[in-house]
Amino acid sequence: VQLVESGGGLVQPGDSLRLSCAVTGFSGRTFSSSTMGWFRQAPGKEREFVAVINWGDHVTYYTDSVRGRFTISRDNARNTGYLQMSALRPEDTAVYYCAAVTMPRVLPTQEHEYHYWGQGTRVTVSS
């Protein structure tokens, strides 16, 4: 299983950016049965949870600092997850990672709950 993030880059405060996470190695049925999450790691800090979208019911959950600005979504037909980021702030600067876990019992927000990880894509918000 491979997760590949894309869409990172250098943007100015207030700009928008959409990250993608393409998943290969899963059958379509397995992907649709997998919960996907996004995490980020800012320079000098621990990796932190950002957002999650559940399999099945597509329930979403966000960390407080991005709620209302970021939107997580998924396209099961394309085996791809997305993180739409708006109103970006300098404090959003980080390497963003997508992660996946198959049919978790609860909505996962901790790193150890995920089985598969991408390599990350860097987002820099600076004027």
Side-chain angles (χ1 to χ4, degrees), residues 2-126:
Q2 188 174 18
L3 282 67
V4 178
E5 303 94 336
S6 62
L10 171 64
V11 296
Q12 295 187 338
D15 283 353
S16 298
L17 206 58
R18 188 177 81 158
L19 306 182
S20 299
C21 175
V23 181
T24 58
F26 271 170
S27 67
R29 183 176 180 180
T30 304
F31 179 82
S32 64
S33 300
S34 297
T35 290
M36 296 194 69
W38 286 91
F39 289 74
R40 66 185 180 185
Q41 187 168 20
K45 295 188 176 181
E46 298 289 318
R47 189 156 57 182
E48 65 172 354
F49 166 79
V50 175
V52 59
I53 183 165
N54 203 20
W55 70 283
D57 57 14
H58 292 189
V59 166
T60 59
Y61 181 75
Y62 302 88
T63 192
D64 287 347
S65 62
V66 308
R67 188 174 294 117
R69 299 188 298 122
F70 290 12
T71 302
I72 188 172
S73 62
R74 61 191 296 157
D75 184 342
N76 288 344
R78 296 177 182 272
N79 281 22
T80 301
Y82 303 98
L83 185 68
Q84 178 68 47
M85 306 185 294
S86 302
L88 283 162
R89 305 167 180 169
E91 53 264 40
D92 295 318
T93 294
V95 176
Y96 284 72
Y97 299 89
C98 65
V101 56
T102 303
M103 297 180 64
R105 293 187 177 185
V106 297
L107 203 60
T109 62
Q110 306 296 314
E111 288 187 57
H112 68 86
E113 297 178 287
Y114 287 85
H115 296 160
Y116 307 103
W117 289 84
Q119 294 300 306
T121 185
R122 185 175 301 275
V123 174
T124 303
V125 185
S126 175

